[in-house]
Amino acid sequence: MIAPLPVELLTFILKELPGQDPSSLKTVLSFLSANSVARAAALDNALWRNLHEGRYRHNDAQAEDERRARLQGDWRLMFIERYKLDQVALQLVDHIRTHPTDRDAPANRIATELSGAGIWDALEYEMQVPIPRAFRDPEVDDMDEEPAPYALPRRFWATATLGALARREAVETWCRLLTRTGDATGFEDMLRGLSAFTDVAPSRVTQQLEELTAQCRERLLDEGLVIDHGRPGYDLLRLVLAVRSFLHDEGFDVGTGREFYHPFNQFPHYFLGAGRRHTIPMSITYTFCAICRRIGIQAAATNTPRKVLCHITSPGPESGDILLDVCSADPPVVFSSTDLPVMLREAGLPVNFPADAVTPASLRTLLARVINNIFASMAGLADLNLYNLPPTYTPFRAEYAVTMTFAAVNAGQIHLVPKVADDCPLDTQIVLLNGLMPQIPSEDQRRRFVADLESGVTGHSKYEILKEPRRRPEGMRGHAFVGAAFTFSTRSQPEHEVNYMVVIGWATDRHGDLRYSILTNHGFQHAYDFWQHAEPLTRPMLLSLRKHMVQFDRFFEDVYSPRQDGVGGRLIPTVELQQQYPDDLEAGIRWSEDQLSAAKAKEKDSCN
């Protein structure tokens, strides 16, 4: 008989489990129900701290401090409490998925009762549940992992919820910051909020900046520079020039042509990414200020005409403040005085220029400048294909971001209801009603805002959820059904390019003609007739559908694929579409049977 392992050794083994891996929790739970020795090992407080810190990387600091004090530092109880919150959040998100006509109430609960940071990790885990194998790429994906039920729509609604919470935080942050003068922290938070409009967590931008700062700090130390201004040998001018050189060596430069007018040049997660650092002066200055703040230098953007510069505050009277063009190699201006006319003269600017041409600009001014930059980039989007944008980086998100920033700047007297992107279906409740509307000071203005919002929502989208199921008439046999996929081409597109469309609904107009609602590479469209034939649903086509159709995961949960060549294959609609068009599943089954019969007959004829 083998003697049982001592509790100390079991505890040591369990502590080696990766805290961020969901399977680690399952292992620990199995130990709790095994025997008294295993249970004692699995109750170790340090073990549960590892699980907690591994799973929960996003935290509401105030809530965590309160929880730790109330539960007396018991990490197991803290984990259990957070995990229960996760389940509440995921149940609400699942209600949103399965109840298309009742989404506002659970969305409001998520926004008002649950902390965005507190449920962020649960949503990120939900966004990674294994998808059906038919939609995986054998070259990069694990084909053996068991798919999760309803994985595609679960991912979509988790992303939609997470994105809406991030955008609400951005709006509230903008409104809070707009009364402050320019400073590096506010400037950083302000632009960071733009990335939320592409479903990027604010923490991701912070992580990018932290990683870049760590590289910069290492280089500064290697060059023998003193970073702490309280130590002998500290040289502010030499230090800021070294930071500027670091950015240039990392590839940050002013873009030209299409690079300069890229619609996401103001979105930090984008221009901080490798290979996308040819951007605009505002973004390079943003990165410079963020790094400076992290190494103890007070740097802030100016509102200098034609190009944003950086004002650097001297930590002491022994040297003057500095004005630096971060984007060029031009020598800096070291001011001899804080007198405005002297500063303007030393900067080579007209003496009638405003103070923020050489001193930190207000955040309101900088945000207005951001709006103008995005408007300018959108005006140049004559051919969106030139930008090769991934699906979630659409011009509709840029338009949404710019209308929202404009609304935040003018929250006291909103004349423009932000244009919510079609692929942000929870934002009307979470971002506009829960986030922006409370910032409007007047009750009368809030009522007008709601009225404008209600009148505008239906006009913005070509997709509307039916309040009653739409039954399929007998005369529709042989017509397209929800889940049918087609290809089509336009006269203007290159021959090698293929456009896809998928039927997501239909209606009969007042003349009795069928009008289809279709999802395409370019969003929602309407069509009356199909000259195109249904395409075999091969794996490459399925991968392309998910890649190019932003809301594909919202409307389709799986595929019926009876043959490897894709013949007879059809998409399985989600509950949202099944509830609206309850007869189309059966219509799809009949169509598949017809396609398979025709294929078999053709193969038989070819053999004869």
Side-chain angles (χ1 to χ4, degrees), residues 4 45 105 171 179 216 271 273 316 324 330 377 412 436 446 448 516 519 552 598:
N45 199 42
V171 171
T179 57
C216 182
F271 61 75
L324 182 68
D330 293 345
S377 69
L436 180 60
R446 287 196 290 271
R448 280 193 312 229
Y516 294 96
L519 187 64
F552 182 88

Side-chain angles (χ1 to χ4, degrees), residues 288-413:
F288 177 86
C289 290
I291 292 176
C292 283
R293 182 177 73 82
R294 286 165 170 76
I295 61 173
I297 298 173
Q298 186 177 340
T302 67
N303 188 38
T304 313
R306 294 183 297 277
K307 180 182 286 189
V308 174
L309 301 178
C310 188
H311 177 274
I312 298 144
T313 303
S314 173
E318 63 277 0
S319 61
D321 293 349
I322 299 169
L323 187 68
L324 182 68
D325 182 352
V326 181
C327 304
S328 73
D330 293 345
V333 176
V334 180
F335 294 118
S336 63
S337 170
T338 57
D339 182 64
L340 180 59
V342 174
M343 295 175 72
L344 289 168
R345 200 162 44 245
E346 291 179 341
L349 298 173
V351 293
N352 61 346
F353 269 27
D356 62 6
V358 291
T359 60
S362 71
L363 295 178
R364 181 179 295 273
T365 298
L366 292 175
L367 190 56
R369 194 156 177 162
V370 167
I371 293 172
N372 290 334
N373 287 340
I374 300 177
F375 267 131
S377 69
M378 291 170 63
L381 290 179
D383 185 357
L384 298 177
N385 293 324
L386 294 175
Y387 295 93
N388 192 29
L389 298 177
T392 53
Y393 294 171
T394 66
F396 304 108
R397 291 295 186 100
E399 182 179 20
Y400 179 20
V402 77
T403 56
M404 183 61 81
T405 52
F406 186 84
V409 169
N410 298 280
Q413 43 184 355

Side-chain angles (χ1 to χ4, degrees), residues 349-582:
L349 298 173
V351 293
N352 61 346
F353 269 27
D356 62 6
V358 291
T359 60
S362 71
L363 295 178
R364 181 179 295 273
T365 298
L366 292 175
L367 190 56
R369 194 156 177 162
V370 167
I371 293 172
N372 290 334
N373 287 340
I374 300 177
F375 267 131
S377 69
M378 291 170 63
L381 290 179
D383 185 357
L384 298 177
N385 293 324
L386 294 175
Y387 295 93
N388 192 29
L389 298 177
T392 53
Y393 294 171
T394 66
F396 304 108
R397 291 295 186 100
E399 182 179 20
Y400 179 20
V402 77
T403 56
M404 183 61 81
T405 52
F406 186 84
V409 169
N410 298 280
Q413 43 184 355
I414 289 180
H415 302 295
L416 172 70
V417 175
K419 189 172 182 180
V420 177
D422 272 334
D423 55 335
C424 302
L426 301 181
D427 281 38
T428 297
Q429 179 63 54
I430 293 178
V431 184
L432 299 189
L433 294 177
N434 292 113
L436 180 60
M437 191 176 71
Q439 315 302 326
I440 303 173
S442 161
E443 179 65 32
D444 182 58
Q445 288 175 320
R446 287 196 290 271
R447 280 197 297 268
R448 280 193 312 229
F449 175 74
V450 172
D452 290 344
L453 184 61
E454 290 174 347
S455 64
V457 166
T458 55
H460 285 166
S461 177
K462 293 182 180 179
Y463 169 76
E464 294 181 31
I465 297 172
L466 302 178
K467 299 213 176 354
E468 297 292 335
R470 184 163 288 165
R471 311 302 307 204
R472 193 176 178 92
E474 188 61 33
M476 275 191 71
R477 185 176 178 88
H479 288 271
F481 55 91
V482 172
F486 301 86
T487 61
F488 70 99
S489 59
T490 62
R491 294 178 181 176
S492 60
Q493 75 182 67
E495 291 184 5
H496 66 278
E497 289 187 11
V498 179
N499 289 318
Y500 296 107
M501 59 183 179
V502 183
V503 178
I504 60 170
W506 52 265
T508 305
D509 69 10
R510 57 191 180 91
H511 301 296
D513 296 324
L514 276 174
R515 187 185 73 166
Y516 294 96
S517 298
I518 57 176
L519 187 64
T520 74
N521 303 9
H522 306 289
F524 297 123
Q525 303 290 335
H526 293 309
Y528 276 92
D529 295 303
F530 287 106
W531 292 283
Q532 300 78 8
H533 63 282
E535 290 290 317
L537 287 178
T538 61
R539 187 184 298 276
M541 183 176 178
L542 291 172
L543 295 178
S544 184
L545 289 174
R546 283 200 74 222
K547 178 180 178 181
H548 293 105
M549 293 184 179
V550 178
Q551 298 201 65
F552 182 88
D553 289 3
R554 172 182 179 176
F555 295 115
F556 301 102
E557 63 187 38
D558 209 338
V559 60
Y560 170 70
S561 186
R563 292 172 41 141
Q564 281 193 329
D565 62 4
V567 171
R570 68 182 189 280
L571 298 170
I572 307 300
T574 58
V575 169
E576 178 170 338
L577 293 184
Q578 290 184 36
Q579 289 180 3
Q580 296 180 78
Y581 303 94

Side-chain angles (χ1 to χ4, degrees), residues 213-227 238-244 246 291 295 297:
T213 302
Q215 297 173 32
C216 182
R217 180 182 284 110
E218 183 179 359
R219 172 164 155 172
L220 296 176
L221 294 174
D222 287 344
E223 293 177 357
L225 294 172
V226 177
I227 297 177
R238 187 182 170 199
L239 196 57
V240 296
L241 291 177
V243 175
R244 182 175 73 173
F246 166 78
I291 292 176
I295 61 173
I297 298 173

Side-chain angles (χ1 to χ4, degrees), residues 141-152:
D141 296 326
D142 180 0
M143 300 301 292
D144 296 326
E145 189 175 17
E146 191 68 23
Y150 315 111
L152 297 182

Side-chain angles (χ1 to χ4, degrees), residues 213-289:
T213 302
Q215 297 173 32
C216 182
R217 180 182 284 110
E218 183 179 359
R219 172 164 155 172
L220 296 176
L221 294 174
D222 287 344
E223 293 177 357
L225 294 172
V226 177
I227 297 177
D228 184 355
H229 71 82
R231 290 179 54 197
Y234 181 81
D235 188 331
L236 177 63
L237 181 58
R238 187 182 170 199
L239 196 57
V240 296
L241 291 177
V243 175
R244 182 175 73 173
S245 295
F246 166 78
L247 287 179
H248 291 179
D249 291 344
E250 285 294 310
F252 285 91
D253 197 2
V254 177
T256 58
R258 296 202 307 265
E259 288 178 331
F260 188 85
Y261 288 104
H262 194 291
F264 289 95
N265 268 338
Q266 292 280 195
F267 293 61
H269 77 282
Y270 184 82
F271 61 75
L272 289 171
R276 297 184 297 215
R277 292 173 175 177
H278 283 198
T279 181
I280 58 177
M282 173 80 82
S283 300
I284 300 174
T285 303
Y286 170 89
T287 309
F288 177 86
C289 290

Side-chain angles (χ1 to χ4, degrees), residues 58 60 82 85-86 88-90 92-93 96 103-124 126-127 156-174 176 189 192-203 397 400 404 420 423-436 439:
H58 302 86
D60 180 329
R82 285 288 297 270
L85 286 177
D86 291 351
V88 171
L90 293 178
L92 290 171
V93 173
I96 288 170
R103 287 176 172 152
D104 289 347
N108 182 59
R109 278 195 64 192
I110 290 172
T112 57
E113 298 178 19
L114 301 174
S115 162
I119 63 173
W120 202 278
D121 298 288
L123 294 173
E124 286 192 336
E126 187 77 352
M127 289 162 56
F156 176 86
W157 288 108
T159 302
T161 305
L162 183 148
L165 291 171
R167 290 183 282 277
R168 177 194 176 188
E169 179 184 334
V171 171
E172 293 174 338
T173 299
W174 289 339
R176 185 175 67 251
D189 290 343
R192 186 177 64 169
L194 288 173
S195 288
F197 286 80
T198 54
D199 301 324
V200 174
S203 59
R397 291 295 186 100
Y400 179 20
M404 183 61 81
V420 177
D423 55 335
C424 302
L426 301 181
D427 281 38
T428 297
Q429 179 63 54
I430 293 178
V431 184
L432 299 189
L433 294 177
N434 292 113
L436 180 60
Q439 315 302 326

